[in-house]
Amino acid sequence: PYYLWAIEGEAELESKLPLQASGLGVVWTDDLRPYQLRKVRILNGAHTLMTPISLLHGISEVRPALEDAELGAFVRDAVKLEIIPSLASEMEPSVTMAYAADVFER
């Protein structure tokens, strides 16, 4: 249920290749950079941040790390207060917050 297919191309291509109409999570865009930055900073950044701390605390999987009261709060706060603001020039904060919520949900 969680995926995004960002395709660099004119929105008119949807009429030739109706991916959105078929219910797929497709975004037609003229610039992939904001989507790539959002993914790398939020998803990869959160994983990179939590990995060494989790391992030092004997936690080897993502779900238990995020369910840990202190570690989970630390990672969520870092994404909200540090990473999302770094993306403000690329995407609206509400869009990046929604993406972050999806990432943490899965």
Side-chain angles (χ1 to χ4, degrees):
Y2 302 102
Y3 67 91
L4 171 68
W5 190 6
I7 302 173
E8 195 167 270
E10 297 81 27
E12 294 79 28
L13 291 172
E14 175 69 17
S15 64
K16 295 180 181 185
L17 188 61
L19 300 171
Q20 289 173 333
S22 68
L24 296 175
V26 172
V27 173
W28 297 95
T29 182
D30 59 355
D31 185 8
L32 286 175
R33 182 179 176 352
Y35 295 94
Q36 186 266 341
L37 283 176
R38 180 181 72 175
K39 186 264 185 192
V40 167
R41 290 187 185 173
I42 294 175
L43 179 65
N44 296 30
H47 282 122
T48 301
L49 175 65
M50 78 173 77
T51 298
I53 301 167
S54 297
L55 292 175
L56 286 172
H57 286 88
I59 303 170
S60 61
E61 295 178 359
V62 173
R63 182 175 301 278
L66 288 173
E67 289 175 347
D68 182 84
E70 289 181 64
L71 181 56
F74 173 70
V75 173
R76 283 180 172 81
D77 285 348
V79 169
K80 181 180 177 183
L81 302 173
E82 302 293 335
I83 296 174
I84 289 173
S86 79
L87 293 164
S89 65
E90 301 293 331
M91 290 186 150
E92 290 293 321
S94 62
V95 173
T96 53
M97 287 291 289
Y99 178 77
D102 284 346
V103 166
F104 289 128
E105 181 184 320
R106 55 182 144 140

